[in-house]
Amino acid sequence: MHSTNLLLEEPIRMASILEPSKPTFFPAMTKIVGTLGPKSRSVEIISCCLKAGMSVARFDFSWGDAEFHQETLENLKAAIKSSKKLCAVMLDTGGPELQVVNKSENPISLQADSLVVLTPDQDKEATSNLLPINFSGLSKSVKNGDTIFIGQYLFTGSETTSVWLEVTEVKGEDVICLIKNSATLAGPLYTLHVSQIRIDLPTLTDKDKKVISTWAFRNKIDILSLSYTRHAEDVRHAREFLSKLGDLNQTQIFAKIENVEGMANFDEILREADGIILSRGNLGIDLPPEKVFLFQKAAVHKCNMAGKPAVVTRVVDSMTDNLRPTRAEATDVANAVLDGSDAILLGAETLRGLYPVETISIVGKICAEAEKVYNQDVYFKRAVKYVGEPMTHLESIASSAVRAAIKVKASVIICFTSSGRAARLIAKYRPPMPVLSVVIPRLKTNQLRWTFSGAFQARQSLIVRGLFPILADPRHPAESTNATDESVLKVALDHGKTAGVIKPHDRVVVFQKVGDSSVVKIIELEN
């Protein structure tokens, strides 16, 4: 049986596998989201991360205070300025995350086959047989035989830092569990996850709302990662909350799918969200291990067909402590790209890992190699068939632009846009060449002041596979009355030449609006 995903037009030359990867301005078409934290928050390290290929910086508010994250963000701004690399800001909410509270921060050793009590009394000290938790309703949610996982990053395959418990008795508000494996828990907080049990807490907690209305509002974040999204209503509620916070009405919401409930309601969530994050850490313990890949493939395919970014997490866990990924992890990254993922999200690897820059660099190289053998032809036909007929005007032009670029072997597609929608539609058809998205700011007013929109749209495209934004001069209109707006086009071409993706005599496909019509044209460059 032939695979429909990876059909190479010509066999891979074994010699080509041994050739070193060539460094490029765009390390890969697939984007990399890096989580900034203790090991990756200096200006110098962030600059190196940006140069290595990070295009979205994630701020995880399940730990750390606003002051800590603000200092890191100021360093990110300085790094962007010095490296001249654009970067989007993603805020990851804490959500209804259950945690064990260890005020002493002393390591706690748990021995297999002994008992441990989970208690909501946070005044008690954490010990080897008593763990205080931040949720008083656990005893009402679980029953004998249920599975509970506890650990700083839950199960990574190494069971020395995470523990697996089985509920044996519920006594008042306390839950007594049998420890299934020996482990040592280190640090002040550990995540607690009850497998396949609904926890009755709001998805957007009061703490999350406070962080969004202060830190996120002040810093005009580009993307909100909504942890533990379980229903489409969670996304609608978050969107309604953001809509009342000035510029945050432009912030995109990415639903983070972390449990069986979110998986069961996936189609409805996808319709409401701007993108999806597959949080394989939690999913991997809510689902049997042999089922995780099936959900990943199905979910990424649905995102692709909807033209919404799909982000995959937990790919190179071993690089938290090691300079090289395992062979399985390297293959996993490549398979995520071949599945159609837009971005790879790095968590512990860059947050507290010893090699944040090297991790980003290696993941980028693996993505670039996988992209070379990505079967764009099969994908394109599948996407066109899925959309069906009649297509909308914009969808038809966008798919035609990609088809034309492939036929003439264009080096890039240049797309003029103000909302970013046209550029995202082109990227939906996965062109094998970069899409330079020239975002033309729009002038708007609320009758009190004039503002330009465009910066949000440019940065938000940094999580979409193959899209590379340029923010144009606001004096240039997105809709031109003449056939070409030479000055804006020249800016885009010069950027492409500087990036090394456009050379003399190359062909370039240009997508722009002329009056009320969308136009695709092919230009051949001279010297």
Side-chain angles (χ1 to χ4, degrees):
M1 186 175 138
H2 294 290
S3 165
T4 54
N5 287 331
L6 183 60
L7 290 173
L8 304 181
E9 289 182 11
E10 56 187 44
I12 297 173
R13 290 185 306 110
M14 289 301 164
S16 72
I17 295 172
L18 300 175
E19 290 169 4
S21 304
K22 295 181 178 68
T24 58
F25 184 85
F26 302 127
M29 306 274 268
T30 307
K31 303 303 176 65
I32 297 174
V33 181
T35 305
L36 300 185
K39 299 289 185 183
S40 55
R41 65 191 302 254
S42 70
V43 176
E44 183 186 2
I45 294 291
I46 298 173
S47 296
C48 292
C49 288
L50 292 170
K51 289 171 186 171
M54 179 180 80
S55 62
V56 180
R58 171 175 170 258
F59 292 79
D60 184 359
F61 270 82
S62 62
W63 67 274
D65 57 24
E67 188 180 348
F68 178 90
H69 289 302
Q70 189 63 43
E71 286 174 11
T72 308
L73 181 57
E74 296 307 322
N75 289 347
L76 171 65
K77 290 174 184 174
I80 290 169
K81 200 171 180 181
S82 66
S83 65
K84 295 184 171 59
K85 297 275 187 183
L86 203 58
C87 186
V89 172
M90 173 188 282
L91 183 153
D92 203 318
T93 62
E97 184 170 84
L98 306 190
Q99 293 175 328
V100 173
V101 181
N102 177 18
K103 289 180 179 174
S104 71
E105 297 191 26
N106 294 325
I108 298 167
S109 293
L110 299 171
Q111 295 301 316
D113 300 323
S114 56
L115 296 176
V116 65
V117 178
L118 306 180
T119 177
D121 186 350
Q122 295 184 46
D123 292 330
K124 291 184 175 174
E125 189 173 328
T127 66
S128 296
N129 41 34
L130 183 80
L131 298 176
I133 61 173
N134 67 345
F135 179 52
S136 60
L138 185 65
S139 60
K140 297 184 185 72
S141 304
V142 298
K143 62 185 184 306
N144 287 8
D146 281 347
T147 302
I148 296 175
F149 294 93
I150 296 174
Q152 195 169 19
Y153 284 90
L154 298 176
F155 271 44
T156 62
S158 165
E159 297 184 14
T160 56
T161 57
S162 302
V163 70
W164 170 29
L165 311 175
E166 183 183 310
V167 177
T168 59
E169 187 184 352
V170 175
K171 206 171 186 177
E173 289 194 322
D174 292 349
V175 177
I176 301 164
C177 303
L178 176 68
I179 301 169
K180 304 291 278 187
N181 67 288
S182 297
T184 300
L185 304 178
L189 292 171
Y190 331 110
T191 300
L192 183 150
H193 185 89
V194 188
S195 183
Q196 301 198 13
I197 298 292
R198 176 179 171 80
I199 299 301
D200 193 21
L201 285 170
T203 299
L204 202 62
T205 64
D206 289 342
K207 182 185 173 187
D208 292 331
K209 287 180 177 179
K210 185 182 177 186
V211 166
I212 293 167
S213 57
T214 54
W215 193 88
F217 176 70
R218 182 166 72 248
N219 295 300
K220 299 181 181 179
I221 60 153
D222 304 300
I223 299 166
L224 180 76
S225 166
L226 189 61
S227 293
Y228 296 94
T229 304
R230 295 170 285 191
H231 297 275
E233 186 56 39
D234 295 338
V235 182
R236 286 192 286 269
H237 176 64
R239 188 143 355 245
E240 184 186 357
F241 185 71
L242 289 176
S243 69
K244 298 169 184 170
L245 294 169
D247 286 332
L248 292 193
N249 64 0
Q250 298 180 75
T251 297
Q252 288 191 341
I253 298 173
F254 276 50
K256 207 169 171 194
I257 308 298
E258 313 202 39
N259 53 31
V260 167
E261 200 172 355
M263 191 189 80
N265 299 306
F266 185 82
D267 291 351
E268 293 80 10
I269 291 169
L270 178 59
R271 276 196 288 274
E272 291 293 330
D274 297 300
I276 296 287
I277 297 172
L278 302 177
S279 183
R280 300 192 310 174
N282 285 350
L283 268 174
I285 53 179
D286 238 19
L287 286 173
E290 68 273 20
K291 299 285 189 182
V292 177
F293 85 96
L294 283 172
F295 177 60
Q296 175 175 315
K297 287 179 180 292
V300 171
H301 172 71
K302 288 183 177 192
C303 290
N304 289 170
M305 294 303 104
K308 294 184 178 183
V311 184
V312 171
T313 69
R314 299 299 288 269
V315 289
V316 285
D317 284 329
S318 73
M319 287 198 75
T320 305
D321 302 306
N322 300 296
L323 196 49
R324 287 164 64 88
T326 66
R327 292 82 164 161
E329 287 172 335
T331 305
D332 186 30
V333 174
N335 280 327
V337 173
L338 296 174
D339 285 346
S341 302
D342 286 79
I344 302 293
L345 189 153
L346 302 172
E349 303 98 322
T350 55
L351 172 83
R352 62 183 178 89
L354 303 177
Y355 308 102
V357 179
E358 291 84 352
T359 303
I360 291 166
S361 176
I362 287 174
V363 168
K365 286 176 183 175
I366 298 167
C367 290
E369 289 298 325
E371 287 158 10
K372 290 177 187 174
V373 294
Y374 181 71
N375 197 322
Q376 198 277 340
D377 186 48
V378 166
Y379 175 85
F380 185 89
K381 287 172 183 170
R382 191 186 299 158
V384 169
K385 185 179 178 182
Y386 180 86
V387 171
E389 294 177 356
M391 278 185 172
T392 63
H393 176 77
L394 197 57
E395 188 105 38
S396 171
I397 298 290
S399 58
S400 298
V402 175
R403 192 192 297 272
I406 292 166
K407 294 286 185 191
V408 303
K409 289 185 165 52
S411 53
V412 294
I413 298 173
I414 295 174
C415 175
F416 294 96
T417 180
S418 51
S419 67
R421 184 166 166 244
R424 286 195 302 274
L425 264 182
I426 289 173
K428 171 184 170 179
Y429 288 93
R430 292 286 187 259
M433 66 289 294
V435 180
L436 299 185
S437 170
V438 185
V439 181
I440 317 258
R442 273 184 180 156
L443 187 63
K444 58 180 186 177
T445 181
N446 60 3
Q447 298 181 332
L448 292 174
R449 64 190 182 104
W450 290 92
T451 54
F452 281 111
S453 70
F456 270 96
Q457 289 76 7
R459 291 191 299 267
Q460 285 163 349
S461 64
L462 288 165
I463 202 166
V464 181
R465 181 155 152 184
L467 269 194
F468 299 92
I470 308 165
L471 195 57
D473 190 313
R475 290 169 295 186
H476 295 299
E479 298 179 18
S480 180
T481 47
N482 55 348
T484 41
D485 191 335
E486 296 294 342
S487 53
V488 191
L489 183 57
K490 185 177 184 305
V491 169
L493 291 171
D494 287 346
H495 181 78
K497 288 171 187 170
T498 303
V501 293
I502 299 176
K503 301 180 293 299
H505 307 295
D506 273 1
R507 288 172 178 171
V508 173
V509 168
V510 180
F511 178 107
Q512 70 179 137
K513 290 196 83 172
V514 178
D516 293 330
S517 304
S518 298
V519 174
V520 173
K521 61 185 179 184
I522 301 162
I523 58 175
E524 193 159 339
L525 303 177
E526 296 176 355
N527 288 332

